[in-house]
Amino acid sequence: MSRLVALAPVLPPHRHSQHEITRTVAPLLCPDGARAELVRRLHGATGVGSRYLAMPLEKYAHLDSFTRSNALFVELATDLLERAARSALTEASMTPEEVDLVVLTTVTGVAVPSVDVLVARRLGLRQDVTRVPTMGWGCAGGVAGTALVHDHLVGHPGAVALLLSVELCSLTLQHGDDSTPNLVASGLFGDGAAAALLVGEEHPAAGGPQVVGGASHLVAGTESDLGWQVGSSGLRIVLSAGLPDTIALHLHHEVTRFLKGHDLAVEDVAGWVVHAGGPRVLEAVTDALGLPPQALVRSWQSLAEVGNMSSASVLHILRATLDAPVRGPLVMVAFGPGVAIELVLLRTEVG
């Protein structure tokens, strides 16, 4: 088994209301104004009240090339992850030299060497630290990354692992793209990062929530439903309106099968940590699993307060869940390109 000993979500400094963002972004997406009213309606339907952005809002008008946006990603993502990692290490009373493994998940920028290398240099991680930088998990990265770290720690029970998640979704803004998926995405996604510190069961600091295991499921025939179209203008959203239907069709079977392997059922779960994928996604999860309306309250709150932060979203929601606190089995749930369903089971102290 492994234990979660620290979890540090962080946000960039620029917070704006959804109304402010819509007013600024609509002319960039629809320069001729033809679909400006649709932008307002779609943004209003996301359930988002405010978001944090990597840059001051007025600077997005000048974000006119992939070269510029990606350079900003490398700079600003490194800054956010350094903050998150230092906070997690402080929370766990650990030093950077104690970290044996770093797993990075991001899908909103490209860096070679990867951002974890830049963070490692700033933190002073050991030169022999094992690194696993990933891109492609999308919104599922926070859950899939937790499962990957757990699997490593099962085989290295005395080790310390640092999971880093950073998503600067605002930097993928596509000027002049008035397609419906881009209009929806421009109103749904926010920026944020998180660092989680986990240890193996033989480590002296092995207290805190226990990670029991994870599971993944790729839904056949959905490869083109969610992801990026990569081109000269950067990362253009691919977002199928059928994603909630895919969740509704497959989630119950995968969750019940996963829980059965741990001698649990849906009704035994004390808390659901579901990434804030949007109103229709959260409603699909609630309906598919037959959950009471309040079961995903922290996901709804996160959606309203910060938007969907892709892979970082579920880690922010996990922090809020553990702070509540919720006692008993917790299930992390997220969906990413594939379409992939990612699950992780945690156990907190009972009582």
Side-chain angles (χ1 to χ4, degrees):
M1 300 297 174
S2 63
R3 294 275 185 170
L4 177 66
V5 295
L7 178 56
V10 297
L11 295 163
H14 309 290
R15 181 182 181 273
H16 295 277
S17 70
Q18 183 78 319
H19 175 72
E20 290 176 293
I21 295 172
T22 302
R23 185 175 59 200
T24 301
V25 167
L28 305 180
L29 302 175
C30 311
D32 60 2
R35 306 191 86 191
E37 178 56 34
L38 179 60
V39 176
R40 287 188 283 272
R41 286 198 290 110
L42 290 174
H43 282 203
T46 59
V48 176
S50 60
R51 285 179 279 165
Y52 288 78
L53 305 180
M55 300 192 303
L57 185 54
E58 65 273 11
K59 291 194 174 183
Y60 286 88
H62 308 292
L63 199 65
D64 55 2
S65 74
F66 186 33
T67 299
R68 175 158 173 73
S69 63
N70 198 67
L72 284 166
F73 169 84
V74 175
E75 174 190 346
L76 299 174
T78 303
D79 291 343
L80 271 183
L81 284 180
E82 181 186 4
R83 277 178 52 201
R86 289 192 185 280
S87 180
L89 287 165
T90 298
E91 181 184 340
S93 300
M94 289 187 183
T95 65
E97 292 82 3
E98 294 178 76
V99 176
D100 303 297
L101 169 73
V102 178
V103 174
L104 169 70
T105 175
T106 188
V107 77
T108 49
V110 181
V112 181
S114 50
V115 174
D116 57 289
V117 173
L118 307 180
V119 175
R121 182 182 305 140
R122 289 194 188 182
L123 293 177
L125 299 185
R126 300 195 318 267
Q127 289 184 301
D128 67 346
V129 68
T130 300
R131 299 182 304 104
V132 183
T134 73
M135 182 182 178
W137 276 332
C139 294
V143 179
T146 301
L148 179 65
V149 166
H150 167 72
D151 286 346
H152 177 88
L153 292 174
V154 169
H156 301 79
V160 176
L162 182 62
L163 171 63
L164 301 175
S165 165
V166 62
E167 303 292 5
L168 304 184
C169 305
S170 68
L171 297 182
T172 68
L173 182 70
Q174 296 288 309
H175 287 224
D177 179 2
D178 64 357
S179 64
T180 298
N182 191 52
L183 300 187
V184 171
S186 68
L188 177 62
F189 290 96
D191 298 344
L197 201 63
L198 296 94
V199 300
E201 62 179 359
E202 294 180 8
H203 191 278
Q210 182 186 66
V211 182
V212 180
S216 302
H217 178 74
L218 287 173
V219 181
T222 61
E223 295 84 356
S224 61
D225 286 356
L226 184 62
W228 293 123
Q229 184 181 59
V230 183
S232 59
S233 65
L235 305 174
R236 189 181 298 267
I237 193 72
V238 175
L239 183 62
S240 169
L243 179 60
D245 295 332
T246 298
I247 294 169
L249 185 61
H250 295 274
L251 184 62
H252 184 269
H253 178 265
E254 295 309 318
V255 168
T256 53
R257 183 172 66 171
F258 174 57
L259 290 175
K260 185 177 180 180
H262 297 282
D263 297 319
L264 294 169
V266 168
E267 55 268 24
D268 298 320
V269 176
W272 296 91
V273 183
V274 181
H275 101 268
R280 292 186 63 213
V281 167
L282 294 180
E283 289 165 358
V285 172
T286 302
D287 293 344
L289 298 178
L291 303 178
Q294 69 273 19
L296 304 189
V297 63
R298 292 174 190 84
S299 297
W300 284 103
Q301 289 173 343
S302 184
L303 178 65
E305 294 170 4
V306 296
N308 177 2
M309 296 177 291
S310 191
S311 70
S313 173
V314 74
L315 297 175
H316 281 242
I317 295 164
L318 178 59
R319 176 76 275 172
T321 302
L322 295 174
D323 286 344
V326 175
R327 301 303 184 200
L330 303 178
V331 176
M332 299 170 68
V333 184
F335 312 98
V339 169
I341 299 171
E342 299 289 341
L343 306 170
V344 162
L345 173 65
L346 301 95
R347 291 187 186 273
T348 59
E349 297 300 326
V350 178

